[in-house]
Amino acid sequence: MSLIEQESRNTEVLDPGIHDHGVHDDDGHHGHGGMTPDGSEPLVDPKYSMRDITDDVLAPMFKFPPLGWHLAFGAAQLCFALGLVIVAIQMYRGLGILGINNPVGWGVYITDFVFWVGIGHAGTLISAILFLFRQKWRTGINRAAEAMTIFAVQCAGIFPLLHVGRTWKAYWLIPYPNDRLLWVNFRSPLLWDVFAVTTYATVSVIFWYTGLIPDFATVRDKAKNKIQKGVYGVLAMNWRGSIRDWAHYERVYAQFAWLATPLVLSVHSVVSFDFAVSMIPGWHTTIFPPYFVAGAIFSGFGMVITLLVPMRKFLRLEHIITMNHLELCNKVILLTSMIVGYAYLSEFFVAWYSEAPYEKAQFIYRAIGMLDSPQGGVAHAWAFWTMMTCNVFIPQLYWSKRLRRNLKVMFIISIFVNIGMWFERFNIFVLSLEHDFLPANWSYYQPTLFDWGVTLGSFGLFFTLFFGFTRVMPTVAIAEIKSILHRPNAGGANRRFEVVSWPTESAPVHPGQAAVAGTAAEKEDAEDGKTS
Amino acid sequence: MARLPKSCVIGFFNDPDQLVHAAGEATNEGFRNCDAYSPYPIHGIEEVLRIRRSWIPSAALTGLLIGACLGFALQYWTHVIDWPINVGGKPLNAWPAYVVIVFECGVLCSALTNFLSMFVACRLVPHPFPDVIDEDLTNDRFALVIPARSDEDESAATQLLKRLKADEIRKVEQ
């Protein structure tokens, strides 16, 4: 590389206007400067070279973290430590210190379990399903979203193990030849869950690591510190970037996507079977699998926004994780919000239309009902209305493009989505159990501080892992983002690269250009057919 | 990692299009077993360099089938043969209830086969300080490796890379 070129690169990196892109996006104007000749907006502004991308993504890994990061990391660790203490107390004293009672045997622990499993789904949707649909914009956010998936599934895994009571015997869930001469019951949905969640966790981790190998190699080759070089060298597994290796790698990656897609849909379906296969009114419905999957994607994208909005700001990745990415996530939130809203309403409709008295009574109880208790009438209708407000009403703000592209608004709405989805699970599990068939059975559920403490601990674990991740791993898939970089100067007779741009409504598409775009896409399809 | 040939000429480029072009020219000039290095996968260069299709898909499919069969066998053997329990007169081989675990076992086995096959196919091993050709090959540089068995090969390859305006040309003898 010539000296002049190197100099121009350096000035580009030092240019203070470099991270301004997001500000312009805030008020809906996009595509200033960085437009392609045909008027569409490229995924990454063409002024950034491959070297810029590498440097910007790896910058946080080669610097000592700032004070703000230490404070946030410390706070998360503190919450985690508190959670561990409470877990220790709960293990010593038993499940009696929690709020669960008879008949409400599934309380905050199971709510937390389903909440965290659901969070994970957005990451797999982005990494696998959007990959299969050739949504190239996913490359900007898939790494962070997959990290979120893995950390969320780890948090989820804790709760059933605690909930079994004698956690030290939790390995009895695994079928293995034993002295008791017993086998697990494979006809039980609870055991299906064991298999579904462990498979999901394993596949998510190896899929994630596969994506990280080429990026670890980049870190290895860029690192100046000897220890860092060695550690990332081991993690990079001697990856060199030979085309022969890439040919294998791409097949492996695509196959992971093909495996993870049905897997992620199966996981939350299986979680919903835990409820749908039983007989409790409010649980025993066929709508549960698609309803749970849509809710999981909804909550997961909520968490993606909660994590990415601060992350892109503090790690200065606004030019890679752009406003367009966030807007598309918000559109997914709007869509899935309406799917879950439809599911809520159809549950009510079916309760009325089926003339099943217990089902009807359950849904009246959820929305406006009271239970008699020694302290007087108590109700959990507030939980139901919290869910409706956060999940159905508030996301409707996203019909406005202005709000979809406003960082503060989307961050606040994403918090509401997280809260709403937690209460959706609480609403389904706890309210159904509180109000089953016989009035003599009915009982109010009141979580204790121990329930909340363990919940806080799980958030502490999640954020400890995520904050750690942002400092020790490339938070963006560098190799993938390079493959979609816009290179206006690159060309020639052998050009086989497509121009990857955002689908913009404002882009003027002339009939001639549309035809050219069509043939380019067809050509690529033909190539895909040849190689696959 | 694909191994470097014993003696070869390496041409470096700054642009993936140039690399594909160069790979095509080298193949046309009669050089065989060329390899290319790139920070990200370049589509279309496999055909130019005549790289064979990966065998990993067949391995993963085999893994899927084996995993699914094992999943079913485990459930059938425990519930029908080893410890049959009659629950409400329902059949011992209640196969619809087994479907979920058959699916999960199949996916798990296939994913693990896929993952491990990648390690075998790309010869991935933990290596703290590997001897990389150039540190920018995982950043923003591209390389074409032309094996050269004889001196004539070597000079022809060098000539070719010069004509293709390679950024830098290196000769490697091991």
Side-chain angles (χ1 to χ4, degrees):
Chain A
M1 156 198 16
S2 70
L3 200 67
I4 303 163
E5 230 181 304
Q6 202 161 21
E7 244 172 47
S8 70
R9 275 171 177 164
N10 287 343
T11 44
E12 248 180 39
V13 175
L14 293 173
D15 179 6
I18 212 162
H19 297 307
D20 276 352
H21 203 55
V23 180
H24 288 271
D25 279 336
D26 280 351
D27 34 32
H29 302 299
H30 47 91
H32 70 290
M35 284 286 201
T36 61
D38 64 354
S40 59
E41 195 185 349
L43 293 183
V44 180
D45 198 316
K47 72 180 177 193
Y48 298 104
S49 64
M50 283 188 260
R51 183 165 288 257
D52 294 335
I53 298 292
T54 312
D55 290 344
D56 292 350
V57 173
L58 300 189
M61 300 173 64
F62 298 146
K63 272 196 307 230
F64 190 73
L67 180 69
W69 181 87
H70 283 286
L71 290 177
F73 191 58
Q77 282 183 313
L78 201 67
C79 293
F80 179 44
L82 186 73
L84 282 181
V85 172
I86 293 177
V87 164
I89 298 173
Q90 186 249 284
M91 286 221 213
Y92 180 70
R93 306 236 341 243
L95 292 177
I97 63 170
L98 303 177
I100 46 174
N101 57 31
N102 199 356
V104 188
W106 286 3
V108 166
Y109 274 13
I110 301 299
T111 306
D112 286 342
F113 163 67
V114 180
F115 172 77
W116 283 119
V117 173
I119 295 288
H121 281 54
T124 317
L125 181 106
I126 290 168
S127 62
I129 299 180
L130 295 185
F131 178 84
L132 296 184
F133 282 104
R134 303 265 191 276
Q135 296 293 309
K136 306 255 176 189
W137 60 274
R138 72 181 260 294
T139 51
I141 56 172
N142 70 334
R143 174 68 43 73
E146 284 172 46
M148 177 194 80
T149 294
I150 289 160
F151 304 150
V153 173
Q154 280 177 357
C155 292
I158 295 170
F159 287 100
L161 301 184
L162 292 179
H163 185 83
V164 295
R166 281 182 264 174
T167 304
W168 50 96
K169 295 213 187 302
Y171 65 92
W172 286 6
L173 290 165
I174 303 162
Y176 68 100
N178 53 62
D179 289 349
R180 289 164 280 127
L181 297 174
L182 286 174
W183 289 106
V184 290
N185 182 9
F186 287 112
R187 295 163 209 170
S188 161
L190 296 178
L191 198 80
W192 303 348
D193 226 14
V194 173
F195 276 76
V197 174
T198 47
T199 302
Y200 182 51
T202 314
V203 173
S204 299
V205 169
I206 60 180
F207 191 11
W208 192 49
Y209 183 64
T210 303
L212 275 163
I213 288 176
D215 288 358
F216 280 145
T218 307
V219 184
R220 172 197 68 201
D221 293 345
K222 289 288 282 183
K224 298 279 175 281
N225 178 319
K226 190 102 175 157
I227 297 172
Q228 214 169 15
K229 217 176 176 65
V231 169
Y232 289 104
V234 169
L235 287 169
M237 295 282 164
N238 210 0
W239 179 265
R240 306 296 181 90
S242 157
I243 288 298
R244 285 162 209 276
D245 293 347
W246 279 120
H248 287 300
Y249 178 90
E250 286 221 284
R251 300 304 304 162
V252 167
Y253 200 88
Q255 269 153 212
F256 267 126
W258 279 111
L259 289 168
T261 298
L263 179 66
V264 68
L265 298 179
S266 88
V267 172
H268 231 57
S269 301
V270 171
V271 168
S272 81
F273 290 160
D274 292 348
F275 308 94
V277 173
S278 82
M279 305 266 281
I280 300 288
W283 285 8
H284 190 56
T285 56
T286 48
I287 197 178
F288 262 27
Y291 163 28
F292 269 51
V293 171
I297 290 166
F298 177 62
S299 68
F301 271 90
M303 191 58 101
V304 165
I305 293 288
T306 310
L307 296 174
L308 287 189
V309 168
M311 187 187 99
R312 72 195 271 280
K313 180 173 163 50
F314 293 122
L315 300 186
R316 303 193 172 196
L317 296 172
E318 281 112 330
H319 53 301
I320 298 175
I321 302 172
T322 63
M323 188 55 76
N324 289 333
H325 289 100
L326 300 177
E327 188 188 4
L328 285 179
C329 293
N330 289 337
K331 282 184 178 170
V332 176
I333 290 180
L334 179 60
L335 172 74
T336 44
S337 153
M338 289 192 293
I339 297 175
V340 294
Y342 174 77
Y344 299 156
L345 293 182
S346 79
E347 278 190 311
F348 274 85
F349 172 76
V350 170
W352 166 73
Y353 189 70
S354 65
E355 291 284 1
Y358 301 108
E359 190 82 5
K360 225 190 241 179
Q362 166 60 219
F363 281 92
I364 292 172
Y365 171 67
R366 280 191 196 176
I368 51 171
M370 300 285 272
L371 278 181
D372 286 330
S373 81
Q375 294 84 35
V378 282
H380 263 143
W382 61 269
F384 174 80
W385 290 106
T386 307
M387 167 193 97
M388 286 299 269
T389 312
C390 296
N391 290 356
V392 185
F393 304 137
I394 291 178
Q396 301 305 319
L397 293 173
Y398 280 153
W399 286 105
S400 149
K401 188 177 177 103
R402 232 185 139 71
L403 297 179
R404 278 203 306 267
R405 297 179 75 88
N406 184 314
L407 289 172
K408 285 183 193 119
V409 169
M410 75 173 81
F411 186 72
I412 294 169
I413 292 182
S414 75
I415 303 278
F416 276 120
V417 169
N418 290 323
I419 295 173
M421 281 310 292
W422 192 88
F423 275 104
E424 181 201 293
R425 279 64 178 255
F426 184 83
N427 183 62
I428 294 171
F429 311 154
V430 171
L431 273 66
S432 297
L433 289 169
E434 278 181 342
H435 194 277
D436 64 0
F437 299 95
L438 289 175
N441 264 351
W442 294 349
S443 170
Y444 189 65
Y445 171 75
Q446 187 114 45
T448 64
L449 278 179
F450 293 99
D451 286 295
W452 297 126
V454 179
T455 306
L456 181 73
S458 71
F459 276 91
L461 171 62
F462 179 76
F463 283 105
T464 302
L465 292 169
F466 196 83
F467 289 141
F469 156 74
T470 60
R471 291 289 159 180
V472 298
M473 285 183 197
T475 46
V476 171
I478 312 174
E480 282 186 45
I481 213 106
K482 281 175 189 163
S483 71
I484 54 140
L485 271 190
H486 202 67
R487 289 181 307 275
N489 299 330
N494 276 28
R495 187 181 176 87
R496 281 160 180 269
F497 304 99
E498 53 179 328
V499 171
V500 187
S501 309
W502 289 100
T504 48
E505 298 106 81
S506 54
V509 178
H510 303 298
Q513 282 177 354
V516 171
T519 46
E522 278 159 27
K523 221 185 272 171
E524 204 217 2
D525 281 354
E527 274 167 27
D528 279 358
K530 244 185 272 166
T531 46
S532 56
Chain B
M1 172 210 84
R3 279 178 205 136
L4 272 187
K6 274 227 162 78
S7 79
C8 59
V9 182
I10 307 174
F12 290 89
F13 299 91
N14 283 329
D15 187 294
D17 295 317
Q18 276 182 316
L19 175 71
V20 178
H21 181 66
E25 292 288 306
T27 314
N28 289 343
E29 296 255 322
F31 291 104
R32 290 285 166 270
N33 298 322
C34 292
D35 198 359
Y37 287 80
S38 145
Y40 62 87
I42 298 176
H43 292 257
I45 198 169
E46 303 101 302
E47 293 110 85
V48 174
L49 289 179
R50 301 187 188 160
I51 293 172
R52 275 191 302 166
R53 272 176 52 181
S54 171
W55 51 267
I56 297 179
S58 10
L61 179 67
T62 317
L64 182 78
L65 297 175
I66 291 174
C69 291
L70 285 178
F72 185 79
L74 172 71
Q75 297 179 84
Y76 186 86
W77 183 74
T78 52
H79 278 352
V80 179
I81 297 166
D82 191 50
W83 194 262
I85 298 175
N86 186 335
V87 181
K90 288 177 187 127
L92 291 174
N93 180 23
W95 65 267
Y98 300 165
V99 168
V100 173
I101 291 180
V102 168
F103 169 79
E104 302 295 345
C105 290
V107 167
L108 180 65
C109 198
S110 180
L112 290 173
T113 315
N114 198 23
F115 186 62
L116 297 176
S117 303
M118 176 181 71
F119 278 70
V120 175
C122 305
R123 297 201 189 95
L124 298 182
V125 279
H127 197 319
F129 303 106
D131 186 17
V132 294
I133 305 168
D134 188 284
E135 295 198 333
D136 279 337
L137 285 180
T138 52
N139 185 5
D140 65 345
R141 238 175 164 203
F142 303 84
L144 181 68
V145 177
I146 304 177
R149 294 226 178 97
S150 58
D151 289 348
E152 295 94 75
D153 269 7
E154 195 181 291
S155 60
T158 315
Q159 283 301 319
L160 175 73
L161 288 171
K162 268 188 193 151
R163 185 159 64 75
L164 294 166
K165 298 201 176 67
D167 201 36
E168 187 193 330
I169 299 168
R170 275 188 221 164
K171 288 169 198 166
V172 177
E173 298 277 354
Q174 284 171 344

